[in-house]
Amino acid sequence: MAIGLVGRKVGMTRIFTDDGGTLPVTVLDVSDNRVTQIKSAEKDGYAAVQVAFGKRRTSRVRKPLAGHLAKAGVEAGHTLREFRAKAEDLANLKVGGKLGVESVFKVGQKVDVQGVTIGKGFAGVIKRHHFGGQNASHGNSISHRVPGSTGQNQSPGHVFKGKRMPGHLGNVQRTILNLEVVRVDVERQLLLIKGSVPGASGRDVLVRPAVKPPKVTVPAKPKAEAKADARPKAEAKPKAEAKPKAEAKPAEKPAAKG
């Protein structure tokens, strides 16, 4: 896993492309990522970098963590995250330094963004699981949006675990893969990303280089080109010429009797 950054979702905006079109983007503030610890395989069993993001009052920090941050000379943050990486990727990092957005991401790069989705509270099966609902004709008495029967007959006689039913919607951790970095603002330490980023504005997100390459779809060739690309059939060998048959000699007439 490559080094990433912790950020805050600022909101959405749009930017103008070179051809005059508009592109909707999500703005992420990834400034002030402070290095609190660099782990090595010899000492810790694996190579990683630990970063702090945000701010937290000193009175809210426990003494073990306060000593850990004081040793690194770093201000306390409300988020402490760790990114595993190779030893050569951590050679240029120093404890107490900062990770800049220009040193991690570049324009056109694919990234994975992790965050907590917006909570929607209690929701029914139509909103939560996209059920179709029941008939609205006569005979259906106030049960148009209810899930209907959930159990079985006498055997087994209970509701199976995982049954899609009404319940709490949202407020879960989700990761969106292969989003594109459209612009990198070095001065303000901002990332402009094309695509859907989970979470509400003001919530923390985790941005890392993509781990799964996007699938490349090969366009199908037209039928005319496909026929042209087809391999030519092997030419048939010329048939051997048949030898002419020997002409049959005419039978000799018997001599006439005298």
Side-chain angles (χ1 to χ4, degrees), residues 70-182:
K71 184 180 178 181
V74 172
E75 182 185 0
H78 65 264
T79 300
L80 202 66
R81 288 301 183 109
E82 193 174 276
F83 299 98
R84 292 201 178 192
K86 297 180 181 179
E88 52 267 21
D89 296 336
L90 306 176
N92 298 328
L93 301 181
K94 294 182 180 180
V95 176
K98 292 186 178 181
L99 280 174
V101 64
E102 68 279 1
S103 62
V104 181
F105 300 110
K106 59 183 179 180
V107 177
Q109 183 179 356
K110 298 292 184 179
V111 295
D112 299 339
V113 182
Q114 184 182 90
V116 178
T117 59
I118 299 175
K120 303 294 182 65
F122 187 90
V125 291
I126 292 181
K127 184 175 181 180
R128 191 185 187 199
H129 300 296
H130 311 291
F131 279 21
Q134 298 189 23
N135 295 331
S137 59
H138 68 279
N140 190 349
S141 179
I142 321 176
S143 59
H144 305 89
R145 298 176 67 89
V146 300
S149 177
T150 57
Q152 287 75 34
N153 295 330
Q154 184 174 355
S155 176
H158 67 273
V159 179
F160 290 112
K161 290 184 178 181
K163 181 71 176 178
R164 293 184 295 174
M165 298 178 70
H168 190 189
L169 176 62
N171 196 30
V172 291
Q173 183 174 283
R174 289 289 181 266
T175 303
I176 309 299
L177 305 179
N178 294 323
L179 300 180
E180 183 182 353
V181 177
V182 177

